[in-house]
Amino acid sequence: MEGLAGHLAGLEEILQNWNTNPGVTGLQLKSISSEISSSLEEISPEDVPSTVKHLVGAPDISDQRSLLHLAKSVAKEKEAADFLRDVCEIFSCLMELHPQLFSHKLTELFSFCKTLFFVNPSAKARVESLNFLEIIFDCQTGTDMAAKYDVAMLANQFRKQLALTSKNSSTVLSQVRQVLGTMCKQFPVEMEIHHQDLLVSFVREIQAALKSASEKLDLTLLTGTIRGMSGIMMAYGIDQDDAEMLESVYEILRRVCRKPEVEDGSVTRRGAMRSALEVFADHNALFTKFLLTDFKYWFNLLKTWVRSNNKDDHKIGWKALNSFLDNMGAAIEELKDTKEVLPLSLKFFIGEFKDILLNKGSSHKNISLAIQGYGKFAGALKKNLQEKDYLYVCQDVLHRTEQLYLHSSQKERESWLLQLPSHLQSCSLLVGQVTSPSSSLFSTLERLVVLLVDQFPQIPAQYQGMAVSAVLLCLQTEKKHGEGSLMEQVVYQALIRSCSHPAVGPLEEVEFGVVTYKSYLPLWSGLLKAHPEGVKFGRADLSEEIYTEVVKNIFTIIEKLDLTTTSVDEALVTNNTGEDAMDVDLTLSQTLANESLSETPQDLTVTDSYGFQKKAKQAKDYTVLVNLVDVCSHVLPLNTAAYSVYSSKLWYSTSLWSAEFPEVSSFYKLADTLLGMENIEEAQEDKKQIIVRYLSEVVQKCPSFQDELQLSCFTLVLNIPPAIAEQLIEELGPVMELLFHLGSSMLHIAERALIATLGWLEVLGQEKMDALLRRVIPQLRVFLATDFESSSEEVTEVKKEKIKRGPLRIDKDKLKKMKIVEKQTGVKVCKLILNLLAQVSTTYKALIFPTEEEVGTAVTAWDMKKHLKVEIPLPDMMLSLHLDGLVPIV
């Protein structure tokens, strides 16, 4: 941030000398803008908000030193074109990533872009201002913003610019058309008066350009015009009764989408072709009647794009091909039923897919295309094939898919991983059309779903949503046919795989690639999230049913775990290899269930209430339990309505598990999760009594616990709601006294304890909390007596000296941050204490001061000097004895 402020100060100084030598000053501006761009690449996420304030100014304040204000001052200058272009690029990049941070300055940024375009003579600055203007329009839309931008007048001004072909370069005209398309998409009401004229104009411009010789074709202008046309079509579509316009746009797409013969992207620019493919992918449903005739042409053309080695070509090719096949599948399904004779289009596609699967030399891309293609044409196949023929196709595709993933090498499976969700969706669509699916079909589907769940952590984050959709589609397919085993097995296997990885703490960082329970949380969030939009398409919302299976399997897994322990000091410890441990089916998993990031199975110990160390007989079962409870803390709150059905049973079972294994801290963490989801005031009386009895037992036992087990109980105690705390006030006193004693060395514990006490006091009042306050308030004296700010600085200086002299290297920045956090927490604790004292009467306030006995004890010290000396003469020596240790001294 200091570097950015220095650059802005340098800009301000340079601009003061603008009139002296604009040419040299322009070069200096360009140099500083490049340095600003480089410095922004290194900023951390937490520094982004303050950086944006430096760049555009704070809300409702005109910052004279912001980059925006400085750029405005030279917006008209041609010599500052490079600088202004860089400024627009900087703003564009940041606004795309953090649009909410610019919302307070959108009007000023719009004014800057408008001034830059209409006043500055430089084409490169004008083009970049239009790029930035598109991003501003995407940031916020609506009638209010349209009025602020005066969209109607701006559209007229841009249309006048289109007429000035001699004044504006092709790059500028291309960008103007693109902006007009964006305005139609973002402000359809205000642009409705213009959209038909713009569409006709753009179509004619493209037709005129395509009629010219190819070597004279201006691809830049063509690209912007096509993108502008796409924006208009996104907002308003094309009237199906306007046959001439439909045919004109279709012929444009047919001509422009042709892929060049030369593969090297540096030889032929393909921006216009990719833009046309984008339009085709988004709007090919408008041209269904043409596509049913030209299906061979488009299928072969789009396959050429898909096979391209160019990443951008391949990406847009896949998008267009997927959209095309979706449209063709739906269109053929709507054709007249002709089971006697297959439609030519369906016959062509099925023949292509079949040839690909039968050809052993088919590439991965082609095989994936065939499998997905069968899924997209499932409805059409069902309608046009006999039942036995359709069943044969379905079995063949599922068998081929199973071979790819379950009967191939590990390397091959990894290469296919990203295609697995789409292949699974295709298999589900095919099975969903079968009248009476056999158990073998669902068995194959189950194996593929379990494989996808097993490999879920290896799927990149941007593809995990597709994987969740594939799993849901399989479960919906099963529900459609009334089966029930698939959901049970999938949920069970998903839970097992979530829990059979190294155990980590909630804030613990792990190396990249290490799989933990956290890797599966996006899967659970997707499965348990309500999907009301699916009901519109005839799909059931399975979130509650999946939740039910999750809760059932929580009981099943915990009951299977061996949580018994044995004394660490036993001379003979049976070396059980796991025969009695939980039977975990991980045949597809490539991870080790017994590993832990922080402890090995041999070192996994617990401490009982007497302080004796005990070792788990089955360490991996403890790992499963730890992970399962962590998963529950994230999964159970996802559906509170479904939780209420099982809350009583969960509390009852947790009480039994804790009573059977009181030294297992995970059950107290589970109880803490359940407690956070409960509405105690509305809970049934029998459930409330179970909770009160359980918490009473925890409060009584936790002072005798140690280490992590005790901290788990403390966390649960501090989350007790006031309605229950009222019944446990007498029992809470010793626990809270112990908490504040520990809090003197661990300030975060004292902070949480104070927050809990204040919460109880606000609801219960000081009269009901008399016993607790009398034990807690005297413990707060030590915090108020500590000057955290000065003591923290002194400790920091001492630590620095130790770091310099010591043999070990310590991260000074990390140590400094820890000291800052400790200082801030200490100050916060003192404020909370003062807040607490302000809410109680003078009687309780006086407890903060020491009693007479405590004052006397504080000034009394042991006299370590020896006063009673006795010398005993012996024949050969004088023996001196001190009787201070034997004789009492008054």
Side-chain angles (χ1 to χ4, degrees):
M1 294 304 302
E2 295 178 0
L4 179 60
H7 291 319
L8 294 178
L11 277 177
E12 188 177 14
E13 184 178 349
I14 290 172
L15 291 175
Q16 291 175 354
N17 303 321
W18 178 262
N19 294 326
T20 306
N21 194 340
V24 175
T25 306
L27 293 175
Q28 293 174 332
L29 290 176
K30 167 63 178 173
S31 175
I32 290 186
S33 64
S34 300
E35 293 176 3
I36 292 176
S37 299
S38 301
S39 64
L40 291 178
E41 294 177 358
E42 302 175 358
I43 63 172
S44 58
E46 57 268 19
D47 291 334
V48 171
S50 56
T51 300
V52 172
K53 288 182 180 179
H54 276 79
L55 294 178
V56 300
D60 302 325
I61 298 176
S62 178
D63 192 341
Q64 303 297 317
R65 293 188 175 182
S66 68
L67 182 60
L68 174 60
H69 177 79
L70 296 174
K72 279 183 179 179
S73 64
V74 292
K76 304 177 182 180
E77 307 297 339
K78 181 178 180 180
E79 290 79 3
D82 290 329
F83 165 71
L84 293 170
R85 180 185 61 186
D86 290 347
V87 169
C88 288
E89 288 178 349
I90 290 171
F91 288 157
S92 298
C93 292
L94 284 173
M95 185 176 284
E96 282 187 309
L97 296 173
H98 311 281
Q100 71 282 359
L101 299 179
F102 290 84
S103 58
H104 64 287
K105 291 287 184 178
L106 285 180
T107 306
E108 292 184 39
L109 290 168
F110 167 78
S111 176
F112 167 67
C113 289
K114 187 176 176 182
T115 302
L116 184 57
F117 175 77
F118 287 106
V119 178
N120 197 293
S122 172
K124 53 188 173 185
R126 298 178 73 200
V127 168
E128 201 57 47
S129 70
L130 292 177
N131 280 329
F132 184 29
L133 194 61
E134 282 191 83
I135 297 173
I136 293 175
F137 288 152
D138 290 336
C139 188
Q140 279 190 14
T141 59
T143 305
D144 293 340
M145 298 308 298
K148 290 181 180 179
Y149 298 148
D150 198 354
V151 170
M153 180 177 289
L154 184 65
N156 289 324
Q157 292 174 330
F158 280 143
R159 292 188 67 178
K160 290 179 182 179
Q161 290 294 319
L162 292 179
L164 303 175
T165 54
S166 59
K167 180 181 177 181
N168 295 314
S169 65
S170 61
T171 308
V172 173
L173 290 174
S174 171
Q175 199 62 42
V176 170
R177 291 171 180 170
Q178 192 168 321
V179 170
L180 284 169
T182 301
M183 291 172 65
C184 288
K185 184 172 62 175
Q186 300 297 345
F187 306 103
V189 175
E190 291 74 16
M191 292 295 294
E192 187 173 7
I193 192 174
H194 300 283
H195 88 273
Q196 190 62 34
D197 292 340
L198 289 173
L199 181 60
V200 172
S201 173
F202 290 174
V203 169
R204 289 175 179 173
E205 289 287 345
I206 298 172
Q207 288 174 332
L210 293 176
K211 288 180 181 178
S212 63
S214 59
E215 60 268 19
K216 297 180 181 179
L217 184 63
D218 191 333
L219 293 176
T220 301
L221 188 58
L222 184 62
T223 301
T225 309
I226 291 175
R227 290 176 179 172
M229 182 181 70
S230 176
I232 297 172
M233 293 171 64
M234 289 286 287
Y236 309 102
I238 300 178
D239 187 356
Q240 290 293 315
D241 295 332
D242 192 348
E244 183 181 354
M245 178 60 71
L246 282 172
E247 187 172 357
S248 298
V249 175
Y250 176 73
E251 287 300 324
I252 288 173
L253 297 178
R254 202 176 190 281
R255 291 192 61 185
V256 179
C257 289
R258 286 181 296 186
K259 189 172 182 293
E261 297 297 328
V262 183
E263 184 65 33
D264 188 359
S266 63
V267 176
T268 305
R269 296 168 61 188
R270 305 181 191 176
M273 301 166 191
R274 292 172 185 154
S275 299
L277 277 175
E278 190 81 35
V279 175
F280 180 83
D282 292 335
H283 306 288
N284 67 78
L286 296 172
F287 315 109
T288 301
K289 63 180 181 180
F290 303 111
L291 296 178
L292 285 172
T293 303
D294 288 348
F295 54 86
K296 291 183 181 179
Y297 169 80
W298 283 104
F299 183 73
N300 292 321
L301 173 65
L302 296 176
K303 279 202 307 181
T304 305
W305 282 91
V306 169
R307 288 197 295 265
S308 173
N309 294 325
N310 183 289
K311 183 178 178 181
D312 294 328
D313 289 352
H314 173 75
K315 184 177 179 180
I316 188 60
W318 260 118
K319 180 180 178 181
L321 184 57
N322 273 322
S323 177
F324 170 68
L325 293 178
D326 282 333
N327 185 30
M328 286 292 93
I332 295 173
E333 187 177 357
E334 292 176 1
L335 293 177
K336 186 178 179 181
D337 189 0
T338 55
K339 289 193 176 182
E340 298 298 328
V341 180
L342 287 178
L344 291 177
S345 52
L346 180 60
K347 189 175 182 180
F348 168 77
F349 286 117
I350 298 308
E352 290 286 326
F353 300 152
K354 184 177 180 180
D355 291 342
I356 291 172
L357 293 182
L358 292 178
N359 186 0
K360 295 183 179 180
S362 296
S363 66
H364 286 186
K365 293 180 182 178
N366 284 337
I367 294 175
S368 180
L369 169 63
I371 294 174
Q372 292 183 56
Y374 273 115
K376 295 177 187 298
F377 285 85
L381 288 169
K382 173 66 175 177
K383 183 176 181 180
N384 291 278
L385 292 179
Q386 299 294 334
E387 182 65 26
K388 62 177 182 179
D389 296 329
Y390 178 79
L391 185 58
Y392 175 79
V393 171
C394 184
Q395 291 172 337
D396 189 42
V397 175
L398 263 68
H399 177 69
R400 181 61 169 155
T401 307
E402 188 176 22
Q403 280 185 326
L404 290 176
Y405 293 102
L406 301 180
H407 303 291
S408 56
S409 64
Q410 176 65 24
K411 185 176 181 180
E412 289 177 324
R413 285 201 298 268
E414 291 175 355
S415 65
W416 282 102
L417 182 58
L418 292 182
Q419 303 297 332
L420 179 56
S422 56
H423 292 173
L424 188 56
Q425 285 182 337
S426 296
C427 292
S428 299
L429 292 171
L430 287 169
V431 174
Q433 294 290 341
V434 178
T435 304
S436 299
S438 63
S439 58
S440 61
L441 286 178
F442 280 114
S443 297
T444 302
L445 207 58
E446 178 185 325
R447 289 191 290 270
L448 290 172
V449 175
V450 172
L451 174 64
L452 178 59
V453 169
D454 185 70
Q455 297 297 315
F456 186 84
Q458 276 68 49
I459 299 176
Q462 62 268 32
Y463 298 104
Q464 288 182 347
M466 186 183 298
V468 173
S469 298
V471 175
L472 284 173
L473 184 58
C474 291
L475 299 180
Q476 288 161 348
T477 299
E478 182 210 34
K479 182 174 178 62
K480 174 183 176 182
H481 293 284
E483 300 291 332
S485 60
L486 180 61
M487 182 180 291
E488 295 175 6
Q489 289 300 317
V490 168
V491 172
Y492 175 75
Q493 294 293 341
L495 268 179
I496 288 298
R497 279 156 175 75
S498 302
C499 302
S500 301
H501 296 283
V504 294
L507 302 178
E508 186 175 350
E509 296 182 1
V510 297
E511 296 181 2
F512 178 78
V514 176
V515 179
T516 67
Y517 80 92
K518 296 179 182 179
S519 306
Y520 291 88
L521 293 182
L523 172 64
W524 291 114
S525 299
L527 292 177
L528 294 171
K529 179 182 178 182
H531 299 274
E533 68 279 0
V535 179
K536 299 178 183 179
F537 302 99
R539 298 176 183 174
D541 183 10
L542 302 178
S543 57
E544 290 195 10
E545 294 183 43
I546 297 173
Y547 193 95
T548 298
E549 289 298 327
V550 169
V551 175
K552 289 180 180 178
N553 282 288
I554 289 173
F555 294 121
T556 301
I557 292 174
I558 292 179
E559 292 298 334
K560 288 185 177 182
L561 296 176
D562 180 5
L563 301 178
T564 56
T565 58
T566 182
S567 175
V568 174
D569 299 328
E570 287 186 13
L572 297 176
V573 179
T574 57
N575 185 17
N576 196 331
T577 59
E579 296 176 358
D580 297 330
M582 179 181 173
D583 183 14
V584 180
D585 178 16
L586 290 176
T587 55
L588 298 174
S589 178
Q590 303 301 320
T591 58
L592 297 177
N594 293 344
E595 290 184 355
S596 174
L597 296 183
S598 58
E599 53 195 2
T600 62
Q602 291 77 14
D603 297 330
L604 186 57
T605 59
V606 294
T607 305
D608 63 12
S609 56
Y610 299 101
F612 294 108
Q613 295 289 316
K614 292 185 177 181
K615 182 169 65 174
K617 287 185 176 180
Q618 298 295 341
K620 70 175 183 181
D621 284 8
Y622 270 84
T623 302
V624 169
L625 178 62
V626 170
N627 283 324
L628 180 61
V629 171
D630 286 333
V631 170
C632 289
S633 67
H634 293 85
V635 169
L636 292 180
L638 293 177
N639 194 328
T640 53
Y643 164 77
S644 61
V645 178
Y646 299 95
S647 59
S648 297
K649 185 176 180 181
L650 282 167
W651 273 111
Y652 181 74
S653 299
T654 303
S655 301
L656 292 181
W657 293 329
S658 295
E660 186 177 1
F661 305 104
E663 291 87 16
V664 179
S665 62
S666 294
F667 292 129
Y668 304 112
K669 294 179 182 178
L670 178 59
D672 186 41
T673 299
L674 301 179
L675 189 62
M677 298 175 63
E678 288 293 344
N679 187 348
I680 298 299
E681 287 76 9
E682 298 181 2
Q684 296 179 354
E685 191 60 31
D686 55 346
K687 181 172 68 174
K688 187 183 297 186
Q689 290 303 318
I690 293 175
I691 297 174
V692 171
R693 283 198 300 268
Y694 174 72
L695 293 176
S696 175
E697 293 175 1
V698 172
V699 170
Q700 294 173 16
K701 289 189 294 186
C702 68
S704 61
F705 290 153
Q706 297 183 16
D707 304 328
E708 195 268 344
L709 177 60
Q710 190 179 59
L711 288 177
S712 298
C713 294
F714 283 159
T715 302
L716 176 58
V717 169
L718 293 178
N719 289 329
I720 294 177
I724 295 179
E726 181 180 1
Q727 304 178 48
L728 303 176
I729 285 296
E730 294 289 343
E731 302 171 31
L732 283 171
V735 177
M736 298 300 291
E737 188 175 359
L738 178 59
L739 271 168
F740 283 107
H741 179 71
L742 292 175
S744 60
S745 57
M746 293 182 284
L747 292 173
H748 65 281
I749 293 180
E751 181 186 2
R752 291 196 59 185
L754 280 166
I755 293 173
T757 305
L758 285 168
W760 297 334
L761 180 63
E762 182 180 358
V763 177
L764 303 179
Q766 62 182 12
E767 291 77 11
K768 294 181 179 179
M769 291 185 60
D770 177 77
L772 180 64
L773 292 174
R774 291 186 179 278
R775 302 198 67 153
V776 165
I777 292 179
Q779 301 298 321
L780 307 180
R781 190 180 309 138
V782 64
F783 300 102
L784 293 179
T786 304
D787 185 354
F788 290 100
E789 296 186 3
S790 61
S791 63
S792 181
E793 292 174 0
E794 293 173 3
V795 173
T796 302
E797 294 299 324
V798 174
K799 291 290 183 182
K800 285 184 178 179
E801 291 297 324
K802 291 182 180 180
I803 291 172
K804 293 176 182 178
R805 299 176 184 176
L808 298 177
R809 292 186 178 183
I810 300 177
D811 189 342
K812 295 182 180 180
D813 292 335
K814 188 173 182 180
L815 181 62
K816 186 177 180 180
K817 289 180 180 179
M818 290 173 60
K819 293 300 176 184
I820 292 174
V821 171
E822 182 180 359
K823 168 185 170 181
Q824 294 173 343
T825 306
V827 172
K828 192 180 298 184
V829 166
C830 292
K831 290 180 179 179
L832 289 171
I833 293 173
L834 294 176
N835 186 11
L836 174 63
L837 294 176
Q839 297 184 39
V840 296
S841 63
T842 306
T843 304
Y844 298 105
K845 288 184 176 70
L847 297 176
I848 198 71
F849 299 105
T851 62
E852 294 181 358
E853 292 80 2
E854 290 173 334
V855 172
T857 303
V859 299
T860 303
W862 288 102
D863 186 358
M864 303 304 294
K865 294 182 180 180
K866 297 178 180 180
H867 299 281
L868 301 179
K869 181 179 180 182
V870 177
E871 295 182 346
I872 301 176
L874 297 176
D876 56 344
M877 63 175 296
M878 182 67 72
L879 179 62
S880 299
L881 296 177
H882 293 274
L883 304 179
D884 299 81
L886 301 175
V887 180
I889 298 176
V890 180

